[in-house]
């Protein structure tokens, strides 16, 4: 009995740091969604990590990429946050998005903490995963 309790407490203590970051992480992602819905490329770009900002250089180039490559993110009909997990030292937030046509998409957001707050470092569209949700 004691070993089962110890195992449960150990799992909780190991995963607590990830759970403690859930609200700040989802707040950043949600704020970027709000900016996209308002067609506010400059604010949306402000939530991107420095590496992403260096690649696209301007809010408009970033917005063009999102509109063309991730149209479900630009104007989602519904957003649902799934699991937040740590993989190789990085936090990944899984997000389920329903687009304006009713199609469901799963995306993984890689988050980076810059000390001044969380930023979005990468977004991966998970092909073929939405059918299993």
């Amino acid at each position: 009995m004691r070993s089962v309790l110890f195992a449960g407490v150990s799992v909780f203590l190991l995963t607590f740091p990830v759970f403690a970051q859930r609200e700040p992480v989802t707040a950043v992602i949600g704020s970027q969604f709000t900016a996209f819905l308002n067609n506010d490329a400059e604010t949306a770009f402000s939530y991107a990590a420095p590496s992403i900002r260096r690649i696209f250089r301007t809010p408009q180039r970033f917005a063009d990429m999102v509109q063309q490559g991730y149209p479900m993110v630009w104007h989602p009909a519904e957003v649902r946050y799934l699991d937040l997990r740590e993989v190789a030292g990085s936090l990944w937030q899984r997000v389920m998005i329903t687009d304006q046509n009713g199609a469901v998409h799963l995306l993984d957001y890689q988050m980076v903490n810059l000390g001044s707050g969380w930023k979005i470092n990468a977004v991966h569209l998970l092909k073929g995963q939405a059918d299993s949700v």
Side-chain angles (χ1 to χ4, degrees), residues 23 39 75:
E23 187 174 323
N39 297 314
H75 283 156

Side-chain angles (χ1 to χ4, degrees), residues 97-114:
I97 297 173
T98 304
D99 66 23
Q100 295 294 326
N101 296 321
V104 176
H105 308 271
L106 286 180
L107 296 95
D108 269 345
Y109 280 70
Q110 183 188 36
M111 304 300 293
V112 61
N113 190 339
L114 301 178

Side-chain angles (χ1 to χ4, degrees), residues 26-48:
T26 58
V28 168
I29 297 168
S31 294
Q32 189 177 64
F33 282 130
T34 299
F36 288 146
L37 285 167
N38 291 324
N39 297 314
D40 184 352
E42 189 168 329
T43 298
F45 194 52
S46 75
Y47 296 107

Side-chain angles (χ1 to χ4, degrees), residues 42-56:
E42 189 168 329
T43 298
F45 194 52
S46 75
Y47 296 107
S51 59
I52 302 300
R53 294 172 63 86
R54 278 191 297 275
I55 291 168
F56 294 101

Side-chain angles (χ1 to χ4, degrees), residues 57-102:
R57 297 190 181 151
T58 70
Q60 191 54 56
R61 287 178 66 184
F62 176 71
D64 291 344
M65 177 280 298
V66 172
Q67 287 175 314
Q68 292 168 14
Y70 299 89
M72 75 290 291
V73 171
W74 187 253
H75 283 156
E78 183 181 352
V79 174
R80 187 169 153 213
Y81 299 101
L82 303 176
D83 58 323
L84 174 66
R85 63 214 184 283
E86 186 175 354
V87 178
S90 293
L91 285 186
W92 291 85
Q93 175 64 57
R94 176 121 337 139
V95 180
M96 183 170 70
I97 297 173
T98 304
D99 66 23
Q100 295 294 326
N101 296 321

